Amino acid sequence: MRSNLATVSLEEARGEEHHSRHLYFVLNRRDTGDVERSLARNYLHQQLELARALPNEVPEDLADLDDWVTRRSEAVGMAYRDYLAARKAGAPRRFFSSRSHALYFLNAVAPTKLVDGAWLYGVLQRWQEPDYLPLIQTYLEELGDGVAGQNHVVLYKKLLAMHGCEHWRSLTEPHFVQGAIQLALACNAERFLPEIIGYNLGYEQLPLHLLITSYELNELGIDPYYFTLHITIDNASTGHAHKALRSLQQLLPLVGDTNAFYQRVIDGYRLNDLGANTMSVIESFDLEKEVLKIMRAKAGAGKNMHSNYCRVAGRTINDWLADPHTMPDFLNALTGAGWITRGEPAESSRFWHLIEGEHAEMFGVFSAYEQQILRDWIASPSGHLPTEGKKAANHVRVPSFRARQRALAPMTATAAPEKVRHIGAARTAIRQQHASDDTNDFTQELRTLEEQIGSLAGREVAMHALIQLMSPACHHTRAGLMATRVFKKLLA
C-alpha cells in the first residue's frame, strides 16, 4: 500500500538522488526497502557535507548545553514580548502582509509539515530500552498518541484542505529539503543515531517565528492550532525541548569516542538550517507572480472551454488562453475593459462575480486559496500590499479566528470544566469506536487489524507489526492511528 502522495519511480530517484523532491516522494510511502534506504544514506551524506560548512551555534562543551537551552528560551520569550509591545504600539504585522500571504506560507511549508516528526520513527525499534524513551515519547506525541484531533499530520492536512492549499506537490526543490532529510533519517536510524539526536535537539527548540506565526494567523482569521500546539509541547521545561536534551545526555556513549559522537550530534543539529525555511518562504511571496501562476495553470484547462461570443480587446477568451505566456496581457486587457477594477474591493469587479457568488458562471474553477490570491490582487493597485492588508496593519481590526470561534460557540467560564470533560469523553469514544460499531466498509479495516494483532504470538511480535503502521507514510491513517494507540498501551 502506497501513500496518497505523488509517486516517483526508483529509476528517477537513482538518476537524481541528490534531488530532494524526488527522494521525498520515494521515501514517503509504506513499501520502502534496502534500495530506498541506500538512496537515503547517500542523500544524508551529501546534506551533512553541506551542513558542516554552516556556522555552529551549539556549545562545543557538553557541560554548557543546559544553560544554552535556557538562555535561548529566555531570549525567544523576551523577543516575543518586544514584538507584542510593538504591535500594541501600532506596528504592522511582521510576517504576513495579507491573508493570501499567510495561505501562501501554509502551502509552501507543507512538504515539511506533512512528515512532522518523521526523523524519530527509526528509534521505535528500541522500545524496550529506557534510554530511548524520551525520543519515543516525542514521536508518539507528534502522532497525537493515536488521536486524530492531535496528530500533527492530520491537523495540517485539514488546515490545507480548509483553505484550498492543494498545490504543494509542485513546489520547487528547496521546499522539499527538510522533509527529505526527515524521511531519510527515519529509515536509517541505526546508521545516523547521533545525527538524529542532534536534529531533534535543533527542531524541538521553540523559535520566535513560531510564536509570531501563530499570532498573525489568528489575527488573519486562520486557525493557528497546529502552530500553538507546537508552542506548548516544545517548551524547555517539560516539553520536547527538555526531552531532546535529556535524550542526548542519556544516549551519549560511556565507552568509545564521546567527542566524535557529539560532533556528529552538532552536524545533525545543523541539518535544520538547510533548504527553504520559515523566513525564506515568507520573504519569497510575490502577489503578482502568484496571480500569474494561477492564471497560467487555468489557461491550460480552460483554453477550449469558452464560446466565441465573449471577446476582450478584440480576441476570444479561448484565443487568450491558448498561450499561457500572454496572461499578463490578458489581465491588463480585462482591467482595461472594465472587468477588473484594481484598488477596489473584489466585489466591485465584474470578473469576481463570474467566480464567486450564487449564480457564478465559473463556480468551482478557482480553489479557496486561488480566490484569496485573486481577491487581494484585485484590491491592490500595485500588486504588492492589498488594501485590506494595509488596513489590518494599521489596526482596523478584522475578527480573529479565536474571536469568530467564541462568537459561534459562546461559553461561560463556569461551563469550561464541563467542556473539558466532554473532550475527554470524545477522545475515549474515538479510541473505542471500532469496538462498538457494526462491521461495515467503514470499520472493516480496524476490525481486521484488531484481529491480526490479537492473533500475534507475544508482545514483541505485536510491537513490530504496530511499528510498521506507525511509519511517516501510515501513522495518520485510520489503521496507523489505531496502531499508535495500541503501541502506547503496550509500551506502558
Side-chain angles (χ1 to χ4, degrees):
M1 179 179 72
R2 298 177 185 270
S3 76
N4 61 355
L5 299 173
T7 57
V8 175
S9 68
L10 281 178
E11 287 70 24
E12 290 177 294
R14 285 194 190 98
E16 305 185 47
E17 64 187 42
H18 60 288
H19 284 184
S20 304
R21 183 178 180 276
H22 286 266
L23 190 66
Y24 179 94
F25 290 115
V26 166
L27 297 180
N28 199 10
R29 60 194 193 192
R30 183 180 179 183
D31 55 345
T32 55
D34 292 340
V35 173
E36 292 88 347
R37 283 191 286 273
S38 177
L39 291 172
R41 286 195 296 273
N42 292 338
Y43 177 79
L44 285 173
H45 286 305
Q46 294 164 4
Q47 298 305 309
L48 285 165
E49 191 67 28
L50 295 173
R52 291 186 190 104
L54 299 175
N56 173 43
E57 61 178 356
V58 182
E60 292 290 342
D61 190 338
L62 269 164
D64 296 332
L65 268 179
D66 279 291
D67 288 342
W68 174 74
V69 169
T70 300
R71 288 195 305 270
R72 279 176 56 92
S73 179
E74 291 174 350
V76 167
M78 289 188 290
Y80 186 56
R81 180 197 61 191
D82 293 342
Y83 165 82
L84 293 177
R87 293 303 309 280
K88 187 176 181 180
R93 286 188 295 271
R94 185 179 298 181
F95 284 1
F96 305 125
S97 60
S98 63
R99 184 178 170 91
S100 59
H101 192 174
L103 295 184
Y104 169 88
F105 166 78
L106 295 182
N107 184 74
V109 297
T112 303
K113 305 305 183 185
L114 291 174
V115 294
D116 201 356
W119 68 92
L120 290 174
Y121 170 65
V123 302
L124 290 183
Q125 61 185 298
R126 317 304 294 186
W127 60 272
Q128 292 175 301
E129 301 177 44
D131 285 346
Y132 289 89
L133 193 56
L135 294 178
I136 292 173
Q137 288 174 335
T138 297
Y139 187 68
L140 293 177
E141 288 169 9
E142 298 283 344
L143 273 54
D145 290 328
V147 178
Q150 299 292 317
N151 180 285
H152 294 188
V153 173
V154 172
L155 288 171
Y156 208 80
K157 287 173 69 176
K158 288 182 177 179
L159 189 60
L160 294 177
M162 184 182 302
H163 298 289
C165 299
E166 53 197 16
H167 301 298
W168 62 269
R169 293 169 182 81
S170 60
L171 289 167
T172 58
E173 182 75 11
H175 296 84
F176 289 89
V177 170
Q178 281 298 306
I181 287 173
Q182 292 188 24
L183 292 167
L185 291 171
C187 61
N188 280 289
E190 69 284 353
R191 302 279 188 97
F192 293 92
L193 178 61
E195 289 79 8
I196 288 173
I197 294 170
Y199 187 87
N200 185 62
L201 181 66
Y203 201 94
E204 299 296 0
Q205 301 300 313
L206 179 61
L208 176 62
H209 65 71
L210 187 61
L211 294 161
I212 296 176
T213 296
S214 301
Y215 186 92
E216 296 190 2
L217 288 177
N218 176 61
E219 191 175 33
L220 288 163
I222 299 170
D223 186 358
Y225 181 64
Y226 171 88
F227 297 90
T228 57
L229 178 63
H230 284 75
I231 292 171
T232 57
I233 66 173
D234 287 349
N235 74 85
S237 175
T238 59
H240 291 181
H242 171 73
K243 289 185 174 71
L245 183 57
R246 204 170 94 219
S247 64
L248 168 58
Q249 293 166 339
Q250 291 180 182
L251 293 171
L252 201 68
L254 299 178
V255 178
D257 194 338
T258 301
N259 289 332
F261 185 96
Y262 185 52
Q263 285 304 311
R264 290 177 61 187
V265 169
I266 293 175
D267 290 343
Y269 180 96
R270 286 187 283 197
L271 285 175
N272 282 279
D273 294 327
L274 298 176
N277 57 42
T278 293
M279 296 313 301
S280 68
V281 166
I282 289 171
E283 292 165 1
S284 68
F285 177 68
D286 186 312
L287 185 57
E288 196 81 26
K289 288 182 180 179
E290 278 299 293
V291 169
L292 291 175
K293 185 168 72 172
I294 290 168
M295 294 301 292
R296 284 168 179 151
K298 300 303 176 185
K303 60 185 177 182
N304 296 313
M305 300 297 177
H306 298 78
S307 61
N308 290 330
Y309 76 87
C310 182
R311 293 174 178 266
V312 177
R315 297 173 61 180
T316 66
I317 302 301
N318 285 337
D319 187 29
W320 277 112
L321 299 182
D323 183 2
H325 295 95
T326 66
M327 287 304 99
D329 295 331
F330 181 45
L331 289 172
N332 287 334
L334 287 171
T335 302
W339 282 93
I340 294 175
T341 305
R342 297 294 300 277
E344 297 291 335
E347 287 77 10
S348 299
S349 293
R350 286 189 290 165
F351 177 75
W352 181 258
H353 293 287
L354 294 175
I355 65 176
E356 197 272 337
E358 186 176 351
H359 300 291
E361 295 180 38
M362 295 170 62
F363 177 81
V365 171
F366 294 91
S367 69
Y369 169 72
E370 292 166 340
Q371 287 188 37
Q372 187 65 55
I373 292 290
L374 288 168
R375 174 186 286 278
D376 286 345
W377 177 78
I378 291 171
S380 170
S382 64
H384 295 295
L385 186 65
T387 303
E388 179 187 358
K390 289 180 180 177
K391 290 180 179 179
N394 289 318
H395 300 285
V396 178
R397 295 182 65 84
V398 295
S400 69
F401 176 83
R402 292 193 180 102
R404 294 206 320 269
Q405 293 299 102
R406 288 194 295 270
L408 289 172
M411 183 180 68
T412 64
T414 55
E418 187 64 25
K419 181 182 179 185
V420 171
R421 287 198 294 272
H422 287 167
I423 292 173
R427 288 177 178 168
T428 301
I430 290 172
R431 293 186 179 98
Q432 298 177 345
Q433 183 176 1
H434 66 278
S436 58
D437 286 346
D438 293 330
T439 301
N440 54 51
D441 288 342
F442 294 108
T443 62
Q444 183 59 55
E445 180 184 29
L446 296 188
R447 285 193 175 276
T448 300
L449 176 58
E450 187 177 26
E451 292 170 0
Q452 289 177 352
I453 294 172
S455 66
L456 295 174
R459 184 186 182 202
E460 290 188 24
V461 178
M463 294 295 261
H464 177 76
L466 293 169
I467 288 172
Q468 308 310 304
L469 290 170
M470 295 167 65
S471 72
C474 300
H475 69 75
H476 45 86
T477 65
R478 282 164 54 85
L481 292 167
M482 179 180 172
T484 304
R485 297 193 297 270
V486 176
F487 180 92
K488 183 181 179 183
K489 186 176 180 179
L490 292 177
L491 184 66

